[in-house]
């Protein structure tokens, strides 16, 4: 008996011998240029950096994510320290990176560089995870993290609070630009996980009523420098 | 009558008469309509965006062999293992073998309709593995011992009181009527399970040929945890989920969320390209992908209905369907409910047994209007009806069609029949007609015209 793979491919090739008519649609298949073609139809992402930033602020507010804009790195460290003391965090895990290390150093609670010595049980007990990101998508209020930018897969999802620190220059207008950016940055050597985070974890499974903090973080902060 | 039809008719009749439950479902969907419209309004041209989304899927499905080949080559290059399953039994056997080889103790799952399709949980449990559904809605349905009611909103029909009772019974928690508190109970209960599980099983919403990544859409974060903490990640996907380019997701991801849940994007859209890479601190050591045919190639072989494979399982067609809203999701008795389920189930499980679903439609076309990838759903319901009448006509089909054929070819007979019909129409109003009782109770037949259309035409043009 032929193996399942060859069997399935044979069935597919046989099935496709009869062509389906191209659907009655405007336009042609975009062959890798979908975002460029569809850009004028999709939600706006802003034509200038300022426009993108204001769309981003609006989207994040609707998603119940908190945007904290600060002028410089010292102010970022202070903002996170204030947040930590006002929320009473006892343990904060962070991704080791030049953007996050000074912030972690300024915290008075226990801190721990999660990617240096990973321990999932310890991570589960952390109050907050502090990471960087790959890019921020203004159009949708989405933050793109990866296993490379965010201390692996668990740090940005397991702790109860997620704090992302980024430069304002990391904001891109739309989803298409962020996908192009990671492809240009990583080429064929993509981080094993890339994740668009659009607001704090949520569910509507009980009577379609929105509840934040289903399994992932209940709170999401974006500290934007510059 | 097929068993599935008899069950369907019985359940649909009971559910449609349950006014309370129908009102509850309508209310639950109310917020969705508002949010969906708000999000759609942000699109500068939703209709053209639908064209783009549809074309992205159309070009992949109609070049499936090449696109799949490219996808699997890239997926394997990234370090993942691809398994092929012709049918449900093969898929189950593959997953059971992985679990056995890994000597697995605990398995955690995130939402995956394909696993419902192959009845994976039953198979794993029978083999002695503990399996926990981690999506809140699926977790609730698992505790209830019931199939999902809606493939995106699995427990939308369950009232909070019932969920509270369920949690009290199974988890020993205090009763509460707050959805927030109920969600937190599940959160606390499941967290340690992710940490302890050795295998995480997920579905996949898209397979990206260009990069060899799989894309998973969710809101809760349970799929992310499922693919982060256990030592082995198994993803199960139908072969039709593949798209050619990463860039195609720039349209598909937001439209999936807007059409299906009224969101700009779902909370987490995650691309996995392989197991943990060198230098990464966590993530699974093994990444398996099971690619399932299970009659999808049969649908592919029908060029007329091939576009049903474009479905991105957003659930929008269920949310707007008057039939779904009145009879509820469980009455369908299928893995995929609503209009798309009625279209594809006859292909997946047999036309004869499942064609009745295509009859359960008012052909209003709301589903076709709602579909972000422009599947011609309500016409496909008609196609199914036609195919069924061809493949195995019922006695009624045969008698009626032969009779009609006989009469229509004989003008004198047609005219005589018309005369008799016009004369007896007032009588029909009073007779207890078979099958028509309920309809006639609240409706009057129109008055018969004095002469036939043909006679009127002849007179006017004489
Ligand atoms: S058929 Fe269309 S509307 Fe229905 S679930 Fe599939 S993609 Fe969504």
């Amino acid at each position: 008996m032929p193996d399942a793979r060859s069997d399935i491919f044979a069935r597919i090739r046989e099935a496709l011998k009869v062509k389906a008519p191209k659907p009655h649609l405007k336009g042609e298949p975009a062959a890798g240029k979908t975002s460029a073609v569809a850009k004028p139809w999709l939600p706006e992402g802003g034509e200038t950096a300022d426009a993108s930033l204001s769309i981003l602020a609006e989207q994040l507010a609707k998603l119940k994510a908190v945007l904290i804009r600060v002028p410089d790195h010292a102010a970022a460290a202070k903002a996170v320290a204030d947040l930590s003391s006002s929320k009473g965090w006892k343990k904060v895990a962070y991704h080791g990176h030049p953007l996050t290390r000074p912030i972690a150093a300024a915290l008075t609670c226990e801190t721990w560089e999660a990617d240096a010595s990973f321990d999932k049980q310890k991570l589960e007990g952390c109050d907050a995870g502090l990471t960087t990101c790959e890019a921020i998508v203004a159009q949708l209020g989405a933050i793109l993290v990866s296993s490379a930018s965010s201390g692996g897969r668990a740090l940005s999802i397991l702790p109860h609070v997620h704090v992302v620190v980024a430069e304002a220059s990391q904001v891109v207008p739309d989803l298409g630009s962020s996908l192009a950016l990671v492809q240009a940055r990583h080429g064929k050597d993509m981080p094993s996980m890339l994740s668009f985070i659009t607001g704090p974890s949520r569910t509507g499974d009980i009577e379609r009523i929105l509840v934040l903090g289903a399994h992932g973080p209940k709170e999401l902060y974006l500290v934007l420098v510059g | 009558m097929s068993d599935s039809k008899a069950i369907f008719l019985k359940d649909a009749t009971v559910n449609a008469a349950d006014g309370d439950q129908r009102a509850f479902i309508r209310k639950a969907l109310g917020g969705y309509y508002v949010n969906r419209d708000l999000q759609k309004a942000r699109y500068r041209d939703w209709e053209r965006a639908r064209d783009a989304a549809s074309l992205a899927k159309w070009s992949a499905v109609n070049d499936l062999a090449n696109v799949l080949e490219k996808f699997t080559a890239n997926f394997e290059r990234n370090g993942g293992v691809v398994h092929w399953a012709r049918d449900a039994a093969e898929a189950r056997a593959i997953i059971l073998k992985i679990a056995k080889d890994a000597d697995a103790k605990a398995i955690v799952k995130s939402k995956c309709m394909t696993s419902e399709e192959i009845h994976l949980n039953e198979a794993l449990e029978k083999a002695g593995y503990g399996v926990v559904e981690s999506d809140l809605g699926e977790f609730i349905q698992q505790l209830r011992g019931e199939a999902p009611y809606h493939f995106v909103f699995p427990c939308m029909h369950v009232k909070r009181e019932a969920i509270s009772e369920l949690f009290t019974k199974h988890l020993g928690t205090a009763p509460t009527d707050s959805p927030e508190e109920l969600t937190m109970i599940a959160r606390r209960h499941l967290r340690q399970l992710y940490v302890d599980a050795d295998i995480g099983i997920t579905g996949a919403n898209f397979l990206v040929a260009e990069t060899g990544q799989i894309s998973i859409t969710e809101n809760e974060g349970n799929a992310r945890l499922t693919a982060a903490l256990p030592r082995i990640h198994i993803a199960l996907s139908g072969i039709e989920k593949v798209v050619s380019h990463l860039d195609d997701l720039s349209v598909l991801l937001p439209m999936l969320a807007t059409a299906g849940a009224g969101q700009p994007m779902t909370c987490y859209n995650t691309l996995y390209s392989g197991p943990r890479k060198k230098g990464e601190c966590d993530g699974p050591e093994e990444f398996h992908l099971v690619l399932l045919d299970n009659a999808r190639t049969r649908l592919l072989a029908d060029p007329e209905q091939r576009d049903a494979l474009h479905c991105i399982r957003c659930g929008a067609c269920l949310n707007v369907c008057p039939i779904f809203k009145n009879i509820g999701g469980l009455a369908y008795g299928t893995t995929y409910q609503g209009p798309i389920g009625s279209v594809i189930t006859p292909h997946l499980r047999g036309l004869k047994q499942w064609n009745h679903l295509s009859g359960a439609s008012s052909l209003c076309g709301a589903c076709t209007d709602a579909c972000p990838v422009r599947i011609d759903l309500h016409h496909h319901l008609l196609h199914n009806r036609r195919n069924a009448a061809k493949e195995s006509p019922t006695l009624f089909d045969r008698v009626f069609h032969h009779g009609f054929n006989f009469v229509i070819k004989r003008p004198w007979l047609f005219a005589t029949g018309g005369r008799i019909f016009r004369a007896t129409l007032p009588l029909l109003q009073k007779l207890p007609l078979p099958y028509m009782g309920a309809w006639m109770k609240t409706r009057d037949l129109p008055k018969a015209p004095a002469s036939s259309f043909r006679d009127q035409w002849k007179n006017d043009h004489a």
Side-chain angles (χ1 to χ4, degrees), chain B residues 151 311-317 340 370-373 375 377:
Chain B
F151 59 73
C311 176
I312 56 177
R313 302 278 187 267
C314 71
C317 54
I340 184 65
C371 178
V373 289
I375 299 171
L377 290 157

Side-chain angles (χ1 to χ4, degrees), chain B residues 101-291:
Chain B
D101 290 349
D103 196 14
K105 303 275 174 307
I107 301 175
V108 67
K109 263 184 77 200
S110 73
K111 194 169 162 40
C112 170
M113 288 316 294
T114 317
S115 78
E116 301 282 341
E117 186 184 325
I118 66 166
H119 302 289
L120 180 61
N121 286 7
E122 289 91 320
L124 286 168
E125 275 159 12
K126 226 175 104 202
Y129 299 103
V131 195
V132 180
E133 290 286 352
S134 60
D135 172 84
L136 178 60
E138 295 283 347
F139 177 65
I140 290 169
Q141 288 308 89
Q142 189 183 27
L143 292 183
R144 286 169 65 85
E146 191 174 74
Y149 182 91
H150 176 304
F151 59 73
V152 179
F153 311 141
C155 68
M156 67 178 293
H157 63 307
V158 188
K159 300 195 170 101
R160 62 183 85 175
E161 297 79 28
I163 298 172
S164 171
E165 260 173 48
L166 191 73
F167 284 0
T168 305
K169 181 168 153 217
H170 291 275
L171 312 175
T173 50
T176 165
D177 65 357
S178 141
E180 163 125 36
E181 186 43 40
L182 289 167
T183 304
M184 292 312 132
I185 291 172
R187 177 185 170 100
R188 280 192 297 272
H189 175 75
L190 287 163
R191 279 178 87 78
Q192 193 57 39
L193 298 178
Y194 296 113
V195 176
D196 295 339
D198 0 61
I199 295 186
I201 299 179
T202 70
N205 294 81
F206 300 99
L207 315 170
V208 184
E210 180 186 21
T211 55
Q213 293 164 308
I214 72 166
S215 173
I216 300 180
T217 290
E218 55 152 346
N219 269 313
E220 298 182 0
N222 59 311
R224 290 233 7 222
L225 288 163
T226 303
L229 299 175
R231 195 163 53 76
I232 295 171
H233 176 190
I234 305 174
L236 171 65
S237 167
I239 50 174
E240 84 287 10
K241 297 280 174 75
V242 71
V243 294
S244 305
H245 298 94
L246 185 60
D247 187 55
D248 293 335
L249 299 187
S250 67
V251 173
L252 292 168
L253 296 180
M255 292 187 73
L256 168 62
T258 296
Q263 293 178 274
M265 272 265 262
T266 58
C267 205
Y268 300 100
N269 283 279
T270 311
L271 291 153
Y272 296 100
S273 57
R276 171 194 309 194
K277 274 173 48 168
K278 230 175 132 192
E280 291 183 342
C281 65
D282 64 354
E285 291 156 22
E286 291 173 32
F287 184 21
H288 299 269
L289 174 64
V290 182
L291 287 175

